Amino acid sequence: MKKLYLIANWKMNPTTPKQAEKLAGEIVLRLKKVKPSRKLETVLCPPFLYLPNVIAKTFGGAIKQGGQNCHFEDSGAYTGEISPKMLKNAGCKYVIIGHSERRMYFEEKGELINKKITAALKNKLVPILAVGEKKGESLSVVKGQLKGALKNISEKDIKKIVIAYEPVWAIGTGNPATPDEALSAKILIQKTLGELYSAKLAGLVPVIYGGSTDSKNILSFIEEGGMDGALVGGSSLKASEFVKMASAMNK
Ligand code: PGA
């Protein structure tokens, strides 16, 4: 059975450690009642500061943890940064890299994202590489983003990456892509991976969707859009809604 991913991106929320603990704790409790009928990997990516709180609440359970970003060096004079080694040593399994908000507000692009992916892999973290076109741009932008991010990433390592297709115009707007649009993006992503590696390897890389997902639309992205799960922003900040998404995916 194909593995499905439900990945929470809390972004810069909530504003107190207590709230972060409460949210994680509620997710854990509610998720216990969801009988897994598929292989569902649930991941919480809180702000760095709350990782210990979230890990304490989720320790030993089915939920994995991830960072929302990382630096490309393991340590050193980089004021304000968090390294992939730190994330690994704190207990994380995943790290989101190249989110559109980082591309937009922090001018992250090709070479830097590629360095971060390389560093994450070196530290045995699973990079969740986010790609997506802005409003008015064509899907070919995604091809360029993939080529930039995956430069010199080996055949062995490409199998360890999760790709999140997140059209920028769908993020936080309440206007998700249609499952058909998601499917077109998936086809383009697999074609690009096929060119960079092989069709066989392309088929092994999970592609998830992000952008205004909720418990009502998530299943359509999996069943009609061919997606392997979702990267979830707004809906991951409400324990009941997030766990409803997990239940819907278990159908
Ligand atoms: P959203 O965010 O679910 O709030 O649209 C998704 C994301 O930015 O990862």
Side-chain angles (χ1 to χ4, degrees), residues 30-83:
R30 287 170 186 266
L31 206 57
K32 278 195 182 134
K33 295 184 196 133
V34 177
K35 283 244 176 338
S37 61
R38 297 184 78 142
K39 252 185 131 193
L40 179 66
E41 177 94 328
T42 311
V43 185
L44 300 184
C45 300
F48 295 133
L49 199 57
Y50 303 150
L51 273 169
N53 308 71
V54 168
I55 288 171
K57 283 283 168 192
T58 54
F59 187 74
I63 295 175
K64 306 289 189 302
Q65 303 84 16
Q68 296 176 11
N69 175 38
C70 67
H71 196 264
F72 53 83
E73 293 288 359
D74 287 346
S75 64
Y78 297 99
T79 302
E81 291 293 307
I82 299 287
S83 78

Side-chain angles (χ1 to χ4, degrees), residues 9 11 99 101 166 170-172 210-213 231-234:
N9 175 11
K11 309 194 180 184
H99 190 280
E101 285 148 20
E166 299 202 304
I171 295 178
S212 298
T213 51
L231 180 55
V232 189

